[in-house]
Amino acid sequence: MMNELVMEKIDPELLADEVIMTMADSFKALGDPTRLRIMALLFNGERTVGDLADHLSVSQSAVSHQLRLLRNLDIVRHRKDGREVYYALADDHIRDIYTRTLEHILID
Amino acid sequence: MMNELVMEKIDPELLADEVIMTMADSFKALGDPTRLRIMALLFNGERTVGDLADHLSVSQSAVSHQLRLLRNLDIVRHRKDGREVYYALADDHIRDIYTRTLEHILID
DNA sequence: TATATATATGAATATATGCTCATATAATCA
DNA sequence: TGATTATATGAGCATATATTCATATATATA
């Protein structure tokens, strides 16, 4: 659900450069097929790096690099268990954005 | 409002490559400060290319190139009036996605 | 302790991207 | 019609990005 208190007051035209840059970075993070696939795999719950790599057509290294990027932008979170690291989607904003865009694509 | 009929049935894990690619293209389109600024300027209503260029720190050519990209992805629509071309946000999905992401940035 | 397994990191490279410049196209006006 | 204004397009270039390979780090196990 949207935070009306925040959004009712903000005119996008007046956004500071820094905010625009951060938004751009976030969208850019979602703008890559490998990263979208990773997110899709995490949609139903957490997975280890190796599990993700097994389901993708890129190296473990590539997956790890991309996970770091997603982590730095708070798009995914991680927890360590022994020598494995489990990744998951960070919050519901991410699910929403993903879903809305999928809608935008599928409808029309 | 979300189209529940569509989204309730779709498991992101099962998305076809083509859908993933199109989603990536859409997010990529939003993943650039110049294009985000253009969208921000269109948030309150349509504007001509020249008007947009006047408010941005890039050339008219750059704005035109970016508008073409946004147009090809149905993110903006345009109408011609004499020798001017007015651009506007294409639909409310776009506003939603923009707003959600802004939220994601601002909250925390 | 030595070896194996899971993940992360840095360097190198090929490709993609965004910009400007020059110019084309289209519409208005003198 | 000729000049001016608004927008679009193509080429070229500098920077950003995604990948792999080699290797480092950390944990588990024999």
Side-chain angles (χ1 to χ4, degrees), chain A:
Chain A
M1 219 123 311
M2 229 179 81
N3 187 330
E4 307 286 348
L5 295 178
V6 170
M7 289 313 303
E8 270 179 17
K9 303 194 177 194
I10 293 180
D11 181 351
E13 288 192 28
L14 304 178
L15 290 176
D17 282 347
E18 198 193 325
V19 176
I20 290 282
M21 292 298 257
T22 306
M23 280 185 76
D25 285 342
S26 295
F27 280 126
K28 207 178 299 178
L30 306 186
D32 173 79
T34 298
R35 288 190 294 266
L36 278 184
R37 277 284 180 211
I38 289 174
M39 293 177 60
L41 288 167
L42 298 179
F43 229 82
N44 297 326
E46 63 180 11
R47 286 177 185 265
T48 66
V49 178
D51 185 16
L52 289 169
D54 287 344
H55 289 269
L56 296 167
S57 54
V58 295
S59 67
Q60 173 271 320
S61 173
V63 173
S64 199
H65 279 295
Q66 301 297 14
L67 286 170
R68 176 171 54 176
L69 190 151
L70 294 173
R71 212 175 26 178
N72 288 340
L73 291 164
D74 294 316
I75 292 172
V76 300
R77 57 183 169 70
H78 67 302
R79 73 178 177 84
K80 200 169 178 182
D81 180 20
R83 56 189 155 183
E84 299 186 317
V85 179
Y86 286 85
Y87 282 83
L89 295 183
D91 62 49
D92 284 338
H93 285 143
I94 304 301
R95 301 182 112 75
D96 276 358
I97 294 165
Y98 197 103
T99 305
R100 298 268 159 170
T101 304
L102 188 49
E103 259 195 325
H104 175 71
I105 302 304
L106 296 181
I107 298 173
D108 65 46

Side-chain angles (χ1 to χ4, degrees), chain B residues 38-90:
Chain B
I38 289 174
M39 293 176 59
L41 287 167
L42 298 179
F43 228 83
N44 297 325
E46 63 180 13
R47 287 177 184 265
T48 65
V49 178
D51 185 16
L52 289 169
D54 287 345
H55 289 270
L56 297 167
S57 53
V58 295
S59 68
Q60 173 271 321
S61 172
V63 174
S64 200
H65 278 296
Q66 302 298 14
L67 285 170
R68 176 171 55 173
L69 188 152
L70 293 173
R71 211 175 25 175
N72 288 340
L73 291 164
D74 295 316
I75 292 172
V76 300
R77 56 182 170 70
H78 67 302
R79 72 178 177 85
K80 200 168 179 182
D81 180 20
R83 57 188 156 183
E84 298 186 317
V85 179
Y86 285 85
Y87 281 84
L89 295 183

Side-chain angles (χ1 to χ4, degrees), chain B residues 78-103:
Chain B
H78 67 302
R79 72 178 177 85
K80 200 168 179 182
D81 180 20
R83 57 188 156 183
E84 298 186 317
V85 179
Y86 285 85
Y87 281 84
L89 295 183
D91 62 50
D92 283 338
H93 286 142
I94 304 301
R95 301 183 112 75
D96 277 357
I97 293 165
Y98 197 102
T99 304
R100 297 268 161 168
T101 304
L102 188 48
E103 257 195 327

